[in-house]
Amino acid sequence: MRRLLPGLFLLLPALAHQATTYGEEGAGGNLTRVAVFTAVFLVALFATAWIGLRQAKKRGGREVLWAVFPTVVVAVVGAMVGAAIWSYKPVGGAALALELTAQRYWWGLAYPELGMKSAGEGWIPVGARVEIRARSQDLFYSLSVPGLELTMDAVPGQTTRAWVQAKKPGVYGGVQTEYVGPATDKMRLRLLALPSERFQALITAVQNFTPPEPPEVFLSRCAACHTVRGTKAQGTLGPDLTLFALRTTFGSGVWPNREAFLRPWIQNAPGMKPGVKMPAFPDLSEAELKALLAYLKRLGPEGLDFTDLIRVEEP
Ligand code: HEC
């Protein structure tokens, strides 16, 4: 039996897997699991060391040191980890929640308290604590927004939480860092941090905005996948386009929101982003294309312009 005890360590990785998986309750719950894992690990370790010590004593050799030294090291490290876990408090108290949904190959954004949706690009108030809740619809994704000191995973079936606070106005760019397929590098995120008056003005304008009715060609070719709030277009496979004209970029933060890039996108999105779920529309007439481009330009309240914050470089 004693000889078998060290074998128990082989079971520990199973627990360790638990400890690195985020829970619905956020990082706090995750830390509880880390604490349980650490406790079980330490108990098992001390038990083995103790048995080893007794055996060494019986034989009376200098091997005792081999057991004492690592035990002291582990005890000290364990105490430090324990103290850190004990002092952890979830941040909480966020002024605003922003939900991110990762999917092939774009980030959906939703502001649950404001009823506002976007894709690839969103807005946050400078200085306020924003709670980011990330989910995934299909694969395992990972997001890094270096300017906001944010790295988080988006995992199917769970919500991961993190808190960010932008110190200065500007654009905070994020990248998706997990390999998820041929368009891994074309799944970016842009958060525009606005001074709070400007953020408030945006919210008010968005709430008073009534999107125009889509043209016939949009209803027949695009509405199955795209929503425009308050209209017959209610598809959910692709991004919500209600505020499309407010975005400085499209395609999950990749291309500047300008006709020169939008036109080829509508004609052949998979040609620009391999693996995308939006089909190519090579058969659209020039008049239909014009109607679609003109409609997209009208999606968003007028008089808001964020281009001063951002210098969009051509890819
Ligand atoms: C089968 C579903 C589907 C159909 C039909 C479809 N789209 Fe899309 N569309 C998508 C998906 C999915 C994306 C997200 C692509 C990405 O960024 O990875 C998208 C992205 C877009 C974007 C960029 C949105 C953003 O915020 O980045 C625009 C604009 C767009 N589509 C316009 C259209 C137009 C116009 C039509 C009709 C001619 C259309 N789509 C038809 C699925 C669809």
Side-chain angles (χ1 to χ4, degrees):
M1 176 59 205
R2 279 179 198 166
R3 278 165 206 236
L4 285 181
L5 198 61
L8 283 179
F9 281 101
L10 293 177
L11 294 176
L12 285 171
L15 272 167
H17 173 73
Q18 276 281 307
T20 52
T21 316
Y22 289 97
E24 181 72 36
E25 64 283 64
N30 186 35
L31 278 180
T32 318
R33 256 172 272 166
V34 174
V36 170
F37 164 67
T38 312
V40 172
F41 182 82
L42 286 178
V43 168
L45 191 82
F46 283 129
T48 336
W50 185 65
I51 290 167
L53 261 177
R54 279 188 19 166
Q55 281 179 343
K57 248 194 205 157
K58 266 189 225 152
R59 276 187 252 119
R62 239 188 295 165
E63 306 95 282
V64 175
L65 281 179
W66 289 109
V68 172
F69 180 66
T71 309
V72 170
V73 171
V74 170
V76 170
V77 173
M80 283 160 68
V81 171
I85 290 176
W86 212 245
S87 65
Y88 172 85
K89 284 187 196 64
V91 184
L96 182 73
L98 172 56
E99 289 173 359
L100 296 180
T101 309
Q103 54 219 288
R104 241 175 76 190
Y105 294 103
W106 54 284
W107 294 98
L109 282 79
Y111 295 80
E113 296 127 359
L114 305 171
M116 199 161 92
K117 284 192 175 168
S118 184
E121 189 168 313
W123 313 272
I124 55 173
V126 172
R129 207 193 287 285
V130 179
E131 182 185 344
I132 312 273
R133 300 179 194 150
R135 284 175 170 274
S136 161
Q137 250 169 36
D138 37 43
L139 306 170
F140 188 109
Y141 298 89
S142 203
L143 172 71
S144 275
V145 188
L148 294 173
E149 297 169 6
L150 174 73
T151 299
M152 71 194 299
D153 293 334
V155 189
Q158 306 203 6
T159 303
T160 340
R161 280 157 215 261
W163 287 265
V164 297
Q165 198 164 7
K167 296 197 179 80
K168 291 189 301 211
V171 179
Y172 294 83
V175 286
Q176 197 289 115
T177 52
E178 203 69 38
Y179 176 74
V180 289
T184 297
D185 61 327
K186 295 190 176 65
M187 189 174 160
R188 301 182 205 153
L189 178 74
R190 280 168 185 262
L191 293 176
L192 276 59
L194 309 173
S196 57
E197 328 76 72
R198 222 168 144 185
F199 186 78
Q200 271 316 317
L202 164 77
I203 306 294
T204 314
V206 166
Q207 282 169 349
N208 294 331
F209 171 65
T210 311
E213 277 304 320
E216 196 42 52
V217 56
F218 189 93
L219 290 175
S220 60
R221 312 300 297 272
C222 324
C225 294
H226 292 289
T227 290
V228 177
R229 193 182 70 200
T231 71
K232 275 186 242 153
Q234 292 295 324
T236 52
L237 200 126
D240 186 308
L241 296 178
T242 308
L243 301 175
F244 183 72
L246 285 189
R247 313 211 241 287
T248 59
T249 54
F250 73 90
S252 216
V254 176
W255 293 280
N257 187 354
R258 289 210 303 267
E259 190 174 326
F261 299 93
L262 266 177
R263 180 180 269 270
W265 174 265
I266 296 173
Q267 285 175 314
N268 183 13
M272 288 168 74
K273 200 185 237 197
V276 70
K277 284 185 184 160
M278 175 161 158
F281 293 94
D283 57 328
L284 288 172
S285 71
E286 180 59 28
E288 287 172 324
L289 255 178
K290 282 214 168 101
L292 290 169
L293 290 165
Y295 181 62
L296 289 172
K297 267 199 188 145
R298 292 169 60 211
L299 294 177
E302 280 181 22
L304 292 169
D305 181 26
F306 305 114
T307 34
D308 61 312
L309 290 170
I310 190 169
R311 195 168 49 90
V312 183
E313 275 157 25
E314 310 205 346

